[in-house]
Amino acid sequence: MGLLLAIDIGTTNLKVAAFTIEGACVGIEKKPTIAHYDVHGNSIYKPTEIWKDIASLLRIITSNVNQEILAISASSMSEAIVPLDCYGQECFDIITWFDTRAQKEAKEIVEVVGKEKLFEITGLDPNPIFPLCKILWMKRHHPDVFQQTCKWLQMTDYILYKLSGVMATDYSLASRTMAFDVCKNEWSDQLLELFEIDRKLFPEIVQSGSVMGTVTKEAADITGLSVGTSLVMGGNDHPCASLPAGVLNGNKILDSSGTAEAFIYVSPPQKPPLMKFMGQRTCRYLDKDRYALWGGIISSGASFEWAYKLLTNVETWGIYQGNPTYAEILSQVQNIPPGSNGVLFIPHLRGSGAPYWDPNMTGCFLGLKTTHTQQDLLRAVMEGLAFQARMIVNMHEQLAGSPADALCVVGGSGKNFLWQQIKADVLQKPIEICDETEATLLGAAILAGVGVGIFKDMTTASIELSKGNQKILPNSSNNEIYQPLYEIYCDAYKATEDLSHRLQKI
C-alpha cells in the first residue's frame, strides 16, 4: 500500500527510516552527526554537511524499498539554529543545541525582562542554549551575518525546507526558542521588540501532522524521492517519540531515557497547567492545543553506566578479564532487597536537573558501611534515579492539577526491566515500555501518516500503535520501604547542597 518515511536529526546520529502504515520498520539507515569545535569549545554543525548526509541516506532508503513513499516527515533536537539569507542560502554554520557561547546574552535578557516575566511569556528559564540568546550573540559578534539573515530555522525546519523550498516550523520547536509566547501560542512581539529583532526573521508556525509542502525537482534529483511527494510538518524529537509510547492514551508522562532522562507531561487539549516556575520548562506539544511540561535528570543513563563499569570490572587498573553480561549482573542485583540494605544514592554526577537545575551539585552515596556490596551499590543507583524521577513527576502533577496514570518509557533504559520495576515501585505507577526501539522515527512517521489521512489524528494513531507496549505494574508492598526512603532522599538534597558547592570551589 505504500510506506511512510521518517527523518531524525539527532545529537548522535542522523537517521532515515521507512515504516509500513501498521508501524513496522522495513528499512533504516544512519550516519554519525558530526559536530565541529573551535579552540574556545564553541560547537557547530555544518549545514551543507548535514544536508548532504541526509540526502544520501534518503537515496539509500529509496533505492532499497520498492514501494511508493506516501509521505515524509522529520524530527530533530531543538535549539540548534541555522540562518538563511534572502536567497535561501545558509549564511552561517548551525550553532548546536548544547552550545553555551551566549551566556552573556542570557544574563542580559534576565536584566532586561526579569526571570519571572521571562517565564510568564516563554515558559523557559534563561539558559544560553535557547535560540533567542544565540541570535543576540550573532547580532553582537557577527553583525554582517545578522543583517544578511532573512530566516532562522531549527533542524527539522531546515531539512524540510531543503526538500520543499518552504520555510516553516511547528509549535513544539517554536516554543523552545525563547522568542515564543507560550500562552498566546505565537511569536512574542513583546520580547522581539525589546531586543529589536524583526518578527519576520522567524518562520510561519504550522500544526505538526499537516502537509507543509511537496518534494521539489531539485531535491528529488539529489535524494531519489519522487517529485510532489507530500512533506508533513514534524516536530521536536522527544514529543515525536511520545506518540508510539502511547502518551496520548490517558493522562500519562513520557519518560525518554538515555544518557540523560527527560520527563514530559502532555496536557489535555485546551487545559493549561499552572504557569508557575517550579523547575520545569513549559512548552507546546505537537498538537498546538496541548502543553508539554519538561523536566529531566541530567545524568541518568550516565550514572548507571558509570556505576556499572566501576563496580563490575577492573580494567581501569590495567587488569583485563572477561566482563560479565548485563543479564548476569542484574540477576544478582535483583536479589538485593528494596532499600539496598540502607545505602542511598544521589544521582547528580553532572549537576542537578529538575526541579533545582544546579550545575554545581554533585552526587554521593549516603549510609555506606563495610557490609555493603557492589550489588547493594548498583541497586542504590537505580533507586536514586527512581527517587529523582518521582520528584520530577510530583512536580508535573502539581502543575497539571491531576495525577499521572502511568509513565511511558522510550530509550535504552527500557531494556533494563529491574530498573523499570524499581521505578514502578517507587512511583507506585505502571510503567509502559515502548516496543519500538526507534520511537522518535516512528513518531515522525505517524505525523506523516496523519498529514495524508492514513491516521485520523495523533491521538488515534498513538493509541493504535502503542497497543503492543509492555506494562510493568508496581508492587504495593515495596511502598512501605520506599516511602520513608523517598522522604530521606528529598531531605538529602538540601543536606548535601552546601557541601557540594564548597567542594566545587576547591
Side-chain angles (χ1 to χ4, degrees):
M1 184 178 177
L3 300 171
L4 300 169
L5 214 58
I7 301 165
D8 179 47
I9 305 100
T11 307
T12 305
N13 289 305
L14 308 171
K15 300 178 184 179
V16 175
F19 292 87
T20 67
I21 61 174
E22 293 79 24
C25 182
V26 296
I28 182 169
E29 298 292 335
K30 63 183 178 179
K31 286 189 174 186
T33 307
I34 301 171
H36 302 269
Y37 296 83
D38 66 16
V39 293
H40 304 291
N42 297 328
S43 55
I44 55 98
Y45 303 121
K46 294 187 177 296
T48 53
E49 193 172 75
I50 294 288
W51 167 236
K52 180 182 176 182
D53 285 347
I54 290 291
S56 69
L57 294 174
L58 285 166
R59 180 164 286 282
I60 294 169
I61 284 287
T62 53
S63 65
N64 287 345
V65 298
N66 297 316
Q67 297 185 56
E68 178 189 3
I69 303 301
L70 303 174
I72 306 160
S73 191
S75 65
S76 72
M77 78 286 268
S78 53
E79 293 110 34
I81 55 171
V82 57
L84 301 180
D85 64 20
C86 59
Y87 300 103
Q89 298 300 308
E90 304 85 349
C91 48
F92 201 78
D93 293 319
I94 301 168
I95 301 177
T96 66
W97 73 266
F98 50 85
D99 186 282
T100 59
R101 70 183 71 188
Q103 293 184 42
K104 183 176 181 181
E105 287 70 24
K107 290 178 182 177
E108 289 175 354
I109 290 171
V110 173
E111 290 170 2
V112 173
V113 183
K115 279 187 179 181
E116 289 186 7
K117 187 65 176 178
L118 183 67
F119 181 81
E120 179 186 316
I121 297 170
T122 69
L124 302 175
D125 55 295
N127 193 303
I129 67 169
F130 292 120
L132 179 60
C133 304
K134 293 168 179 172
I135 291 169
L136 292 176
W137 178 91
M138 189 72 71
K139 188 178 182 181
R140 170 175 284 150
H141 294 276
H142 296 276
D144 54 332
V145 174
F146 182 81
Q147 289 298 324
Q148 271 184 276
T149 302
C150 288
K151 279 290 183 291
W152 288 94
L153 300 182
Q154 296 188 67
M155 298 290 264
T156 292
D157 317 336
Y158 174 65
I159 293 302
L160 291 177
Y161 160 71
K162 296 296 285 185
L163 290 168
S164 68
V166 178
M167 297 184 192
T169 192
D170 92 301
Y171 291 87
S172 70
L173 289 167
S175 63
R176 300 285 295 190
T177 61
M178 202 185 275
F180 181 85
D181 190 314
V182 74
C183 293
K184 293 181 179 178
N185 229 4
E186 60 183 29
W187 297 119
S188 172
D189 289 328
Q190 184 177 359
L191 287 177
L192 296 178
E193 288 170 9
L194 272 175
F195 296 104
E196 299 180 343
I197 296 174
D198 193 337
R199 180 172 175 155
K200 293 178 181 177
L201 290 174
F202 295 90
E204 178 188 1
I205 310 171
V206 301
Q207 172 70 56
S208 297
S210 60
V211 175
M212 53 77 65
T214 58
V215 174
T216 64
K217 184 180 184 306
E218 182 182 2
D221 291 341
I222 298 170
T223 62
L225 295 166
S226 298
V227 175
T229 302
S230 294
L231 290 163
V232 177
M233 179 50 66
N236 199 341
D237 48 11
H238 290 303
C240 283
S242 75
L243 294 174
V247 165
L248 300 185
N249 186 13
N251 196 41
K252 298 177 182 178
I253 291 176
L254 177 71
D255 177 355
S256 182
S257 66
T259 302
E261 190 168 8
F263 297 87
I264 303 175
Y265 169 80
V266 180
S267 77
Q270 304 293 358
K271 188 176 179 182
L274 179 66
M275 282 301 292
K276 176 183 177 183
F277 183 67
M278 294 176 62
Q280 86 292 2
R281 289 167 177 165
T282 301
C283 304
R284 287 286 176 161
Y285 184 61
L286 302 166
D287 175 349
K288 68 182 180 65
D289 293 328
R290 295 176 184 263
Y291 286 81
L293 303 178
W294 293 62
I297 303 172
I298 294 172
S299 52
S300 179
S303 291
F304 179 81
E305 286 300 318
W306 166 80
Y308 183 88
K309 290 175 182 177
L310 197 69
L311 297 169
T312 65
N313 71 67
V314 291
E315 289 185 4
T316 53
W317 296 94
I319 301 169
Y320 297 94
Q321 59 188 31
N323 290 326
T325 65
Y326 274 100
E328 290 170 334
I329 292 297
L330 293 177
S331 66
Q332 292 191 39
V333 177
Q334 194 162 6
N335 295 326
I336 302 300
S340 303
N341 291 313
V343 64
L344 185 67
F345 178 67
I346 309 299
H348 304 308
L349 301 187
R350 295 178 177 174
S352 64
Y356 298 109
W357 298 107
D358 182 355
N360 294 313
M361 191 62 183
T362 57
C364 64
F365 285 104
L366 297 174
L368 279 174
K369 298 179 180 179
T370 56
T371 53
H372 284 124
T373 66
Q374 292 152 299
Q375 291 89 337
D376 292 328
L377 298 183
L378 193 54
R379 183 177 180 106
V381 168
M382 290 184 278
E383 290 178 339
L385 290 165
F387 291 137
Q388 189 62 34
R390 178 172 169 178
M391 188 181 288
I392 295 169
V393 168
N394 287 352
M395 174 189 74
H396 284 341
E397 291 176 332
Q398 289 179 55
L399 291 162
S402 61
D405 301 329
L407 265 65
C408 301
V409 175
V410 298
S413 79
K415 298 174 184 177
N416 185 333
F417 294 111
L418 175 58
W419 185 354
Q420 300 311 319
Q421 183 65 64
I422 290 171
K423 194 183 299 178
D425 293 349
V426 167
L427 277 79
Q428 285 297 293
K429 295 183 187 294
I431 302 293
E432 299 176 7
I433 302 173
C434 183
D435 66 350
E436 174 54 61
T437 56
E438 296 292 347
T440 301
L441 282 164
L442 179 53
I446 288 171
L447 292 175
V450 171
V452 293
I454 290 169
F455 304 117
K456 178 184 176 183
D457 51 38
M458 292 182 212
T459 302
T460 303
S462 179
I463 293 170
E464 181 63 30
L465 295 183
S466 63
K467 284 181 177 178
N469 293 351
Q470 183 173 349
K471 184 177 286 189
I472 295 176
L473 299 176
N475 184 336
S476 58
S477 64
N478 287 340
N479 192 45
E480 295 178 10
I481 300 165
Y482 283 136
Q483 178 57 36
L485 280 174
Y486 175 67
E487 293 169 7
I488 294 170
Y489 177 87
C490 293
D491 292 340
Y493 187 94
K494 290 299 180 184
T496 58
E497 185 177 27
D498 180 60
L499 296 176
S500 290
H501 291 175
R502 288 163 60 187
L503 282 169
Q504 293 299 294
K505 291 178 181 178
I506 295 175

